[in-house]
């Protein structure tokens, strides 16, 4: 496999940061790496949680009273700067997360889209007027900023998930402290730098947003600090199990975006050409490292053989390797440990009766012993065994078969996670049943597309062990604000509700 040298990647990262206007904050405590070669790029300094939270809390006092449309101006400028620096940001995402160019550019586009959305939202933070039961009274809801929002983001969408939270939180009047994944500090330095610049240019307080680089212990400070009103955390279910109760114990709010174990049902009437494209992108795209990645395929018995054969043929042709090289569709996993986890899961699948039909091998080379290039795998399973019910953050697609649509839905829902789902069918009754109350139990349910690649306009998130949070579009903004119910008496009488009389 032909890979760029670590020194080349180091220079490219430095150049991309310089074009954005940022520098590498060299120091100790955090190592910036690239999964392309598995080697380290820079040694970086870490932040001070105490001082960072205090700064964001201070800025909140002015920001909360800045009119929301004026707050929108900051986000509008951020969107402009993201457009201007789209290619450099995408390059940093490729260097640090290993995404192929098209997907890295797509991630930056997702950031631009949410900025546009949030600018519009800055004039639409609507409250309701409610009919009062009392004469001469007005009953209404007003929405107010919450305070400091702590954003803990994962490596796989190192910038887009930050932007969903940050663009919306900022127009809502909150200030933000961002603790990015330890695997992706460089893209966060670039994005935070552009936001700093947007703040300077639009006259917003500099400290409306603070980047907090560091390890897990720094993230824990954010989780435990009572000045952080909302902790929005993306990561594994294991992480969420710790974060949720800790934030709740101090009566803080949390917004959790955790593991997925996403499935597609393929019905006998499905357009198999279309389904195949959707399945391969959702299962092997991003090297299986999206929380929306397709991990389970539930196929009707009559078409299982044909679909699996075509899938295996498509998998055999997947170009794996340097994400910068033209034509590559599958880049590296984030770490050698991730490849190890994938190998363990495949071994367990075999022990549970599974048969590996395609992929599963690794393409580690002597040149790069720490890089993790794996062949996406298709595994036929006799049943939904233990390994199938777990999320393995790697490209493994388990194939299960069904006879009746009820059985397919039951299999679909019989996992602990509830993020994304889809059905491929041309039978409208089946499609509607999948979307109905007794259908998919996920936060995202699609028809005739895969499980990944959601647009920002909808609310993003899932149920059960996925954590219940909703981010991004629709009315997800409400999680970033507090609601006040206002009753105004404009009459000259004091009337009590519920016909109570007193005095
Ligand atoms: C994630 O994997 O954490 O729907 C986010 C998608 C992307 C976002 C994924 N828009 O696949």
């Amino acid at each position: 496999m032909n890979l760029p040298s670590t020194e080349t990647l180091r220079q490219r990262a430095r150049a991309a940061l310089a074009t954005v206007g940022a520098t590498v904050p060299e120091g100790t405590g955090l190592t910036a790496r690239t999964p392309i070669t598995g080697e380290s790029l820079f040694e970086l300094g870490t932040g001070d949680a105490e001082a960072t939270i205090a700064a964001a809390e201070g800025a909140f006092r002015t920001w909360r009273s800045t009119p929301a449309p004026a707050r929108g101006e900051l986000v509008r400028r951020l969107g402009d700067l993201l457009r201007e620096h789209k290619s450099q940001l995408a390059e940093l995402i490729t260097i640090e997360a290993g995404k192929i160019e098209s997907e890295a550019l797509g991630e930056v586009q997702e950031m631009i889209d949410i900025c546009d959305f949030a600018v519009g939202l800055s004039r639409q933070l609507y409250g309701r007027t409610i009919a009062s039961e009392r004469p001469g009274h007005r009953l209404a809801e007003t929405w107010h900023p919450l305070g400091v929002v702590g954003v803990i983001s994962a490596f796989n969408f190192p910038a887009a998930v930050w932007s969903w939270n940050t663009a919306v939180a900022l127009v809502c009047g909150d200030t933000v402290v961002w603790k990015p994944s330890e695997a992706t500090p460089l893209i966060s330095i670039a994005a935070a730098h552009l936001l700093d610049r947007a703040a300077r240019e639009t006259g917003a307080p500099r400290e409306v947003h603070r980047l907090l680089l560091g390890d897990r212990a720094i993230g824990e400070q954010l989780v435990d600090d009572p000045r952080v009103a909302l902790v929005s955390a993306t990561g594994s279910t294991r992480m969420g199990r710790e974060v949720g109760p800790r934030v709740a114990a101090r009566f803080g709010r949390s917004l959790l975006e955790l593991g997925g174990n996403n499935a597609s049902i393929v019905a006998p009437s499905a357009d198999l050409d279309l389904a195949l494209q959707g399945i391969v992108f959702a299962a092997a795209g991003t090297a299986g490292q999206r929380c929306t990645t397709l991990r389970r395929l539930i196929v009707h018995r009559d078409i299982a053989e044909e679909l699996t054969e075509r899938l295996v043929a498509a998998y055999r042709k997947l170009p794996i390797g340097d994400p910068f090289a033209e034509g590559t569709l599958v880049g590296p996993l984030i770490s050698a440990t991730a490849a190890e986890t994938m190998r363990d899961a495949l071994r367990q699948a075999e022990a549970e009766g599974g048969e590996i039909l395609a992929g599963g091998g690794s393409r580690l080379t002597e040149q790069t012993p720490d890089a993790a290039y794996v062949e996406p795998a298709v595994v036929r399973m006799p049943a939904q065994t233990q390994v199938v019910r777990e999320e393995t953050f790697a490209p493994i697609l388990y194939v299960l078969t069904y006879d009746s649509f009820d059985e397919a839905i039951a299999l679909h829902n019989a996992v602990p996670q509830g993020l994304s789902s889809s059905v491929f069918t041309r039978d409208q009754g089946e499609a509607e049943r999948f979307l109905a109350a007794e259908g998919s139990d996920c936060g995202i349910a699609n028809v005739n597309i895969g499980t990944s690649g959601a647009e920002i306009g909808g609310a993003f998130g899932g149920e059960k062990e996925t954590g219940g949070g909703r981010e991004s579009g629709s009315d997800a903004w409400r999680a970033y604000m507090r609601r006040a119910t206002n009753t105004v008496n404009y009459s000259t009488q004091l009337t009590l509700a519920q016909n109570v009389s007193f005095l």
Side-chain angles (χ1 to χ4, degrees):
M1 191 181 296
N2 224 345
L3 295 173
S5 73
T6 301
E7 185 48 35
T8 304
L9 295 168
R10 192 175 289 128
Q11 281 166 16
R12 284 181 80 158
R14 216 191 275 281
L17 280 166
T19 309
V20 165
T23 48
V24 179
E26 297 200 47
T28 53
L30 189 62
T31 305
R33 295 180 179 281
T34 175
I36 298 176
T37 61
E39 288 171 350
S40 71
L41 297 169
F42 305 107
E43 293 299 322
L44 308 176
T46 58
D48 173 344
E50 172 57 39
T52 307
I53 296 167
E57 199 199 21
F60 175 65
R61 279 185 219 113
T62 27
W63 194 238
R64 67 182 166 189
S65 324
T66 304
R71 300 192 297 241
E73 284 304 312
L74 166 63
V75 176
R76 180 198 307 278
R77 185 68 192 126
L78 173 64
D80 288 345
L81 292 171
L82 295 174
R83 280 182 171 85
E84 199 180 306
H85 294 290
K86 190 171 180 183
S87 64
Q88 293 91 41
L89 296 168
E91 182 150 337
L92 289 168
I93 292 171
T94 298
I95 292 172
E96 280 190 309
K99 289 192 189 189
I100 61 170
E101 187 186 23
S102 168
E103 291 198 52
L105 287 168
E107 174 158 4
V108 185
Q109 186 58 47
E110 196 160 341
M111 301 170 77
I112 294 167
D113 293 344
I114 195 72
C115 286
D116 286 357
F117 179 91
V119 173
L121 184 64
S122 71
R123 291 180 183 269
Q124 299 175 74
L125 300 169
Y126 301 137
R128 287 190 172 93
T129 302
I130 298 153
S132 170
E133 67 192 53
R134 287 174 276 192
H137 283 62
R138 186 168 61 81
L139 189 54
E141 284 177 346
T142 43
W143 290 86
H144 304 290
L146 270 184
V148 177
V149 174
V151 177
I152 299 177
S153 58
F155 80 85
N156 65 328
F157 270 79
V161 172
W162 163 76
S163 69
W164 296 350
N165 282 284
T166 302
V168 171
L170 288 175
V171 300
C172 288
D174 302 321
T175 57
V176 176
V177 174
W178 180 19
K179 154 73 178 77
S181 159
E182 284 162 71
T184 53
L186 302 179
I187 178 66
S188 58
I189 290 165
H193 181 85
L194 292 178
L195 181 47
D196 278 354
R197 184 174 150 196
R200 213 170 42 242
E201 291 175 5
T202 55
R206 194 177 146 261
E207 282 150 341
V208 289
H209 178 266
R210 297 287 83 199
L211 177 63
L212 179 60
L213 293 181
D215 58 7
R216 189 193 154 106
I218 284 196
E220 286 178 4
Q221 277 180 270
L222 211 51
V223 166
D224 292 331
D225 196 307
R227 292 169 299 179
V228 179
L230 169 70
V231 175
S232 176
T234 305
S236 65
T237 293
R238 193 155 43 129
M239 180 269 268
R241 236 188 263 287
E242 282 193 40
V243 170
R246 277 169 78 157
V247 177
R250 61 172 176 83
F251 295 100
R253 293 195 197 180
S254 57
L255 195 170
L256 300 176
E257 207 67 77
L258 312 174
N261 192 354
N262 317 298
S264 290
I265 296 174
V266 190
S269 67
D271 174 336
L272 286 192
D273 293 333
L274 180 146
L276 197 71
Q277 284 179 43
I279 291 165
V280 178
F281 171 64
T286 333
Q289 300 173 110
R290 290 192 189 217
C291 53
T292 50
T293 289
L294 176 60
R295 308 202 181 278
R296 299 177 295 137
L297 200 58
I298 303 169
V299 191
H300 191 275
R301 197 173 302 278
D302 289 353
I303 53 160
E305 201 176 307
E306 183 189 349
L307 182 64
T308 337
E309 264 172 28
R310 293 182 64 181
L311 201 54
V312 167
Y315 265 56
R316 293 223 168 99
K317 285 195 291 223
L318 280 174
I320 303 165
D322 174 12
F324 276 121
E326 211 175 312
T328 298
L329 292 181
V330 181
L333 291 189
I334 193 67
S335 65
T337 313
E340 196 56 53
T341 307
M342 178 174 172
R343 274 194 293 279
D344 289 348
L346 289 172
R347 266 198 293 269
Q348 191 182 337
E350 284 183 308
E352 291 174 3
E355 187 190 345
I356 300 176
L357 303 177
S362 58
R363 304 234 182 128
L364 300 182
T365 61
E366 273 178 28
Q367 183 202 348
T368 55
D370 298 322
Y373 291 87
V374 297
E375 295 162 355
V378 177
V379 186
R380 180 157 52 209
M381 295 302 294
Q384 191 151 262
T385 60
Q386 183 57 36
V387 74
V388 183
R389 289 196 295 270
E390 287 164 7
E391 180 191 46
T392 301
F393 220 59
I396 303 176
L397 180 61
Y398 298 110
V399 182
L400 302 155
T401 47
Y402 76 90
D403 292 299
S404 74
F405 200 65
D406 283 342
E407 186 193 345
I409 290 180
L411 262 178
H412 176 277
N413 291 346
V415 294
Q417 311 83 352
L419 179 56
S420 185
S421 61
S422 83
V423 63
F424 289 94
T425 182
R426 280 185 286 197
D427 177 329
Q428 195 186 352
E430 281 180 350
E432 292 294 341
R433 277 171 68 201
F434 184 72
L435 304 180
E438 67 276 20
S440 162
D441 61 2
C442 290
I444 298 172
N446 300 331
V447 176
N448 291 330
I449 65 164
T451 53
S452 66
E455 303 174 19
I456 59 91
F460 184 94
E463 304 302 330
K464 302 194 288 184
E465 288 191 2
T466 303
R470 290 296 185 279
E471 294 170 324
S472 189
S474 185
D475 63 353
W477 61 270
R478 290 169 191 251
Y480 301 82
M481 300 196 87
R482 63 180 174 86
R483 178 197 321 238
T485 302
N486 312 133
T487 308
V488 179
N489 176 8
Y490 57 90
S491 74
T492 52
Q493 309 291 316
L494 189 83
T495 315
L496 299 179
Q498 296 90 37
N499 299 323
V500 172
S501 48
F502 198 81
L503 283 182

